């Protein structure tokens, strides 16, 4: 869904994912590697610490696919190195 994001000085259009009610399952938890991606992105974009803290408190679960988990952890580590190299 395309939404208008407004601040006190500007407005931009952004795409936002909106789940259909019938597809929401509150018993599901994100894999821990996915949660780490989200937290890393929030830090990279300098979102408020209180928001990052909320992301970190979300219950996550261990990915039973160890190879997928290893792959994503390596990707996350590589992206953190690239961000440091850019001086961000």
């Amino acid at each position: 869904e395309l939404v208008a994001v407004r601040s006190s000085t500007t407005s931009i259009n952004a795409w936002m994912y909106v789940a259909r009610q019938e597809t929401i399952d509150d018993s599901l938890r994100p894999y821990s590697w996915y949660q780490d991606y989200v937290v890393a992105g929030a830090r990279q974009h300098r979102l408020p610490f209180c928001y990052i803290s909320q992301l970190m408190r979300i219950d996550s679960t261990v990915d039973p696919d160890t190879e997928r988990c290893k792959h994503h952890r390596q990707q996350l580590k590589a992206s953190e190195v690239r961000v440091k190299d850019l001086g961000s």
Side-chain angles (χ1 to χ4, degrees):
E1 180 175 315
L2 187 62
V3 296
V5 180
R6 295 181 181 91
S7 74
S8 60
T9 59
T10 189
S11 177
I12 63 169
N13 289 324
W15 286 100
M16 178 176 76
Y17 174 78
V18 180
R20 293 187 321 264
Q21 191 62 39
E22 66 271 13
T23 64
I24 297 173
D25 183 345
D26 289 331
S27 70
L28 296 177
R29 300 290 173 253
Y31 291 133
S32 57
W33 57 259
Y34 180 78
Q35 182 181 30
D36 290 344
Y37 269 122
V38 173
V39 170
R43 286 182 174 145
Q44 180 181 351
H45 292 283
R46 296 179 178 94
L47 297 183
F49 179 74
C50 61
Y51 183 73
I52 295 171
S53 295
Q54 289 176 341
L55 295 174
M56 293 170 66
R57 286 194 301 271
I58 294 171
D59 287 333
S60 61
T61 189
V62 174
D63 188 344
D65 184 335
T66 56
E67 287 303 309
R68 176 175 53 199
C69 182
K70 181 180 174 182
H71 167 77
H72 286 292
R73 295 246 179 246
Q74 288 171 340
Q75 293 293 315
L76 182 58
K77 186 171 184 146
S79 69
E80 288 172 350
V81 169
R82 286 192 301 270
V83 168
K84 287 179 186 172
D85 289 344
L86 293 173
S88 297

